[in-house]
Amino acid sequence: MINPKRASSKKDCSIEEHSQIKNDRLSDEEAVIRELIKKYDIPSPRYTSYPTADRFIDSESSDDYLHYLRQRRTVIGPLSIYVHIPFCDNICYYCACNKIVTRDKTVSTRYLDSMEKEIALKSPFFSGSRVVKQLHLGGGTPTFLNRAELLRLMHSIAVNFHLVDDEDREYAIEVDPRTVSVETISLLAGLGFNRISMGIQDFDEAVQVAINRKQSYESIVDLVQAVREFGFKSLNFDLIYGLPLQSVESMTETMDKVIALSPDRISVYNYAHLPDRFTSQ
Ligand code: SF4
């Protein structure tokens, strides 16, 4: 005969054991997370450029550069190309990117003239059988370029390099949601891009005002829907923590909205406050 008291105490014991195991597991995970945070909580160059900014030196001459380019001729294997479009319509106060804020739309024509020359000069060192597996347009704001300019740039790259349209390619572009429409997303898909990165930073309106970057949640919803409809393989959101007026509550709300839109990845940056170097801060 089962002693109800014993049976009950056995059941209690197993719940206790279960919750103890769960707590142990949690504290193990927490310990690992704490260890990782401790390990990586150090100042380091941002990995957003390659080579990272601290690898650039002034002492290289054009002959050195040519020497390195010639060395690349013997290299086989796929290519990754990065194209920087430095222009932006407006300044975001937190920004530490390499950019030129201007309303003068003629600058991009001159920039593309120079870029076409550079592409034609450099491509002989890389082209041939090397396919472009990765292409990344970053900025600044790549979508500062209008439709005709984006077509012109992609034409120049396609003529000088071996672009592909297979599923494995990673052709990415950073977009400022304030400068693009559903039509732009359609154009980008047509040009071969299959990855999009959106500068979101924070959905909180007060924070957006404080950083001079107002963009409504509704406009992002429309763009995300277009990104899905046009079959992009990857959608990334850039977010920043440490901005003025952010709080745990506001960040939680922002993260809830991010999760609701289900991007394929998020990149979370800490705000680097360097007002001596970046006057807008
Ligand atoms: S955050 Fe982006 S859009 Fe804003 S100023 Fe910097 S580069 Fe331009």
Side-chain angles (χ1 to χ4, degrees):
M1 196 177 153
I2 297 173
N3 178 340
K5 206 169 166 199
R6 269 197 73 152
S8 150
S9 78
K10 190 164 185 250
K11 193 177 167 203
D12 289 347
C13 177
S14 99
I15 289 170
E16 277 164 19
E17 278 173 4
H18 180 73
S19 83
Q20 183 59 45
I21 291 167
K22 206 172 152 196
N23 284 342
D24 286 350
R25 201 177 297 145
L26 267 181
S27 54
D28 282 353
E29 279 173 15
E30 271 177 27
V32 171
I33 290 167
R34 276 177 204 284
E35 208 44 50
L36 282 172
I37 289 172
K38 213 163 97 186
K39 184 174 172 190
Y40 292 109
D41 186 20
I42 48 169
S44 63
R46 296 199 172 210
Y47 69 89
T48 49
S49 61
Y50 182 82
T52 45
D54 69 340
R55 298 293 101 179
F56 285 94
I57 49 174
D58 293 330
S59 56
E60 296 284 0
S61 67
S62 50
D63 283 344
D64 294 329
Y65 188 50
L66 199 55
H67 168 72
Y68 292 130
L69 278 177
R70 286 192 177 121
Q71 280 186 339
R72 309 316 294 169
R73 276 190 169 136
T74 55
V75 178
I76 51 169
L79 273 179
S80 300
I81 296 178
Y82 174 72
V83 180
H84 192 76
I85 309 294
F87 308 112
C88 300
D89 287 320
N90 297 294
I91 182 80
C92 307
Y93 294 149
Y94 59 83
C95 181
C97 293
N98 184 3
K99 82 284 180 187
I100 297 163
V101 179
T102 178
R103 293 294 174 100
D104 176 7
K105 292 287 178 182
T106 64
V107 289
S108 42
T109 306
R110 282 178 274 139
Y111 189 73
L112 285 178
D113 290 345
S114 301
M115 194 173 278
E116 277 181 347
K117 283 184 199 153
E118 188 177 0
I119 290 171
L121 274 173
K122 282 188 183 160
S123 61
F125 294 96
F126 300 96
S127 49
S129 60
R130 301 184 70 183
V131 298
V132 179
K133 270 279 186 209
Q134 295 172 322
L135 172 69
H136 192 104
L137 263 63
T141 308
T143 45
F144 183 91
L145 303 183
N146 62 30
R147 184 185 177 88
E149 289 167 335
L150 281 166
L151 281 164
R152 180 181 165 192
L153 173 62
M154 288 304 289
H155 176 75
S156 173
I157 297 172
V159 165
N160 289 281
F161 291 97
H162 188 168
L163 296 183
V164 289
D165 66 356
D166 61 53
E167 277 296 298
D168 292 344
R169 76 187 191 282
E170 294 180 2
Y171 290 2
I173 183 164
E174 296 168 12
V175 304
D176 176 344
R178 298 168 300 172
T179 64
V180 296
S181 60
V182 171
E183 287 70 37
T184 321
I185 303 292
S186 154
L187 169 71
L188 297 176
L191 288 174
F193 291 99
N194 60 359
R195 299 167 79 92
I196 278 198
S197 179
M198 283 187 193
I200 301 293
Q201 324 314 354
D202 196 312
F203 280 124
D204 187 275
E205 268 188 55
V207 176
Q208 290 187 358
V209 170
I211 60 175
N212 199 36
R213 192 188 170 106
K214 280 193 74 179
Q215 50 195 21
S216 73
Y217 180 67
E218 292 68 30
S219 66
I220 308 290
V221 172
D222 290 345
L223 292 177
V224 167
Q225 202 178 332
V227 166
R228 297 298 180 212
E229 276 169 16
F230 287 106
F232 284 80
K233 268 174 66 178
S234 174
L235 169 65
N236 173 71
F237 281 178
D238 278 350
L239 302 165
I240 302 181
Y241 66 89
L243 291 172
L245 305 184
Q246 279 181 335
S247 62
V248 172
E249 291 72 29
S250 75
M251 281 300 278
T252 305
E253 274 183 34
T254 286
M255 289 315 295
D256 284 344
K257 287 180 174 168
V258 168
I259 291 165
L261 292 174
S262 192
D264 302 288
R265 48 174 279 173
I266 57 171
S267 304
V268 186
Y269 300 92
N270 65 324
Y271 166 56
H273 188 60
L274 300 163
D276 292 342
R277 285 179 56 195
F278 305 104
T279 47
S280 64
Q281 294 186 343

